[in-house]
Amino acid sequence: MADLKDFAEQLVNLTVKEVNELATILKDEYGIEPAAAAAVAVAGPAAGGEAEEAQTEFDVILKAAGGSKLAVVKLVKELTGLGLKEAKGLVDDAPSAIKEAVSKDEAEALKASLEEAGAEVELK
């Protein structure tokens, strides 16, 4: 059983180049088509890696204020509940996080609002 677990661990950690080499070996020496090998290779990392989980929280990052800085400052003030001075500071210090750990829907709504005001925004 431990040998199978070690083998599974090796499969999960294969690089793309190694997967291609494995597919070639399976096809040439054993008559197994590469599509079947690719399915094993694709299923492996998704089943074994926590990094593949769907992201549920997003950070809204202001990359640049754009052409209408005043409109962006006012919108940041409104969206965050900060005072005018703090909102201006966030915009002046771009790139900066406007909101952190928000849902995907909220993050996309904030991004759309900020971009409509002329800002350059990124979701992380």
Side-chain angles (χ1 to χ4, degrees):
M1 184 72 158
D3 290 337
L4 287 177
K5 191 167 188 151
D6 291 340
F7 179 67
E9 184 71 26
Q10 288 176 342
L11 279 176
V12 168
N13 292 318
L14 289 177
T15 65
V16 173
K17 181 180 178 185
E18 292 169 332
V19 170
N20 287 332
E21 289 175 16
L22 177 61
T24 302
I25 292 168
L26 290 173
K27 182 179 180 188
D28 294 346
E29 295 183 21
Y30 300 100
I32 299 172
E33 289 299 316
V40 169
V42 169
E50 291 180 22
E52 298 293 325
E53 291 180 16
Q55 185 175 354
T56 58
E57 292 184 337
F58 295 85
D59 295 340
V60 181
I61 309 295
L62 176 69
K63 291 174 66 176
S68 53
K69 183 176 172 182
L70 182 58
V72 173
V73 170
K74 287 180 180 179
L75 185 57
V76 167
K77 178 184 178 292
E78 179 185 318
L79 294 173
T80 60
L82 295 172
L84 185 59
K85 183 177 179 179
E86 292 82 7
K88 183 181 181 303
L90 271 179
V91 173
D92 287 342
D93 294 339
S96 56
I98 301 299
K99 286 221 175 175
E100 296 178 333
V102 296
S103 70
K104 183 177 183 178
D105 292 338
E106 184 179 356
E108 287 177 349
L110 290 169
K111 180 180 179 186
S113 297
L114 288 163
E115 286 178 340
E116 193 173 300
E120 209 176 303
V121 183
E122 174 183 45
L123 299 182
K124 286 189 176 181

